[in-house]
Amino acid sequence: MRRVPEREDGFLRAVLELAKVQGWLAFHPRPARTAHGWVTALSGDAGFPDVVLVKVYPHQERPARLIFAEFKSARGHLSEKQRTWIERLSEVIGIEVYIWYPKDWSAIVQILEA
């Protein structure tokens, strides 16, 4: 089994690499360091999940999939704003919403390889 980085940034990179190999399109807004700390530019409500993944299967052999995933380090916790987004997105029929920790690597592989 692959050794998965415990830090959120390395873990996220590992998942994005796997997603690319498996044919997923990915979107991840990267934060930037400013004089006031790390900031991700956005308009709207804060707390949006870290990654959006979409996969369309050739010849429509199965329905397309849309995943929203929030990444956390081994000790990370959701903020209230992140929790709100996760809860609201989870109510939408047909999309998949996950909170992924490094310990979830085997499950993530199964999800992205399906």
Side-chain angles (χ1 to χ4, degrees):
M1 182 169 123
R2 175 183 180 156
R3 172 123 168 75
V4 180
E6 291 292 315
R7 288 185 40 152
E8 185 177 332
D9 56 344
F11 169 48
L12 188 142
R13 271 194 311 276
V15 173
L16 289 176
E17 288 172 14
L18 173 64
K20 183 174 185 170
V21 168
Q22 294 300 322
W24 292 82
L25 288 177
F27 173 77
H28 168 63
R30 293 183 359 204
R33 186 182 297 252
T34 69
H36 305 288
W38 289 95
V39 177
T40 303
L42 66 91
S43 294
D45 298 298
F48 191 79
D50 291 317
V51 170
V52 178
L53 300 169
V54 65
K55 186 167 186 179
V56 176
Y57 294 87
H59 313 294
Q60 298 179 334
E61 59 196 40
R62 51 185 293 202
R65 294 172 65 195
L66 178 62
I67 291 177
F68 291 88
E70 178 63 35
F71 288 76
K72 292 296 175 190
S73 66
R75 297 176 192 218
H77 301 283
L78 289 177
S79 70
E80 281 305 310
K81 292 177 180 184
Q82 290 170 328
R83 187 176 313 284
T84 297
W85 270 106
I86 295 297
E87 288 171 357
R88 299 271 175 93
L89 288 168
S90 295
E91 294 177 14
V92 178
I93 295 170
I95 66 169
E96 301 170 52
V97 182
Y98 300 100
I99 304 164
W100 282 336
Y101 295 86
K103 68 179 177 58
D104 300 325
W105 181 253
S106 294
I108 294 166
V109 170
Q110 287 182 331
I111 290 164
L112 296 182
E113 288 181 345

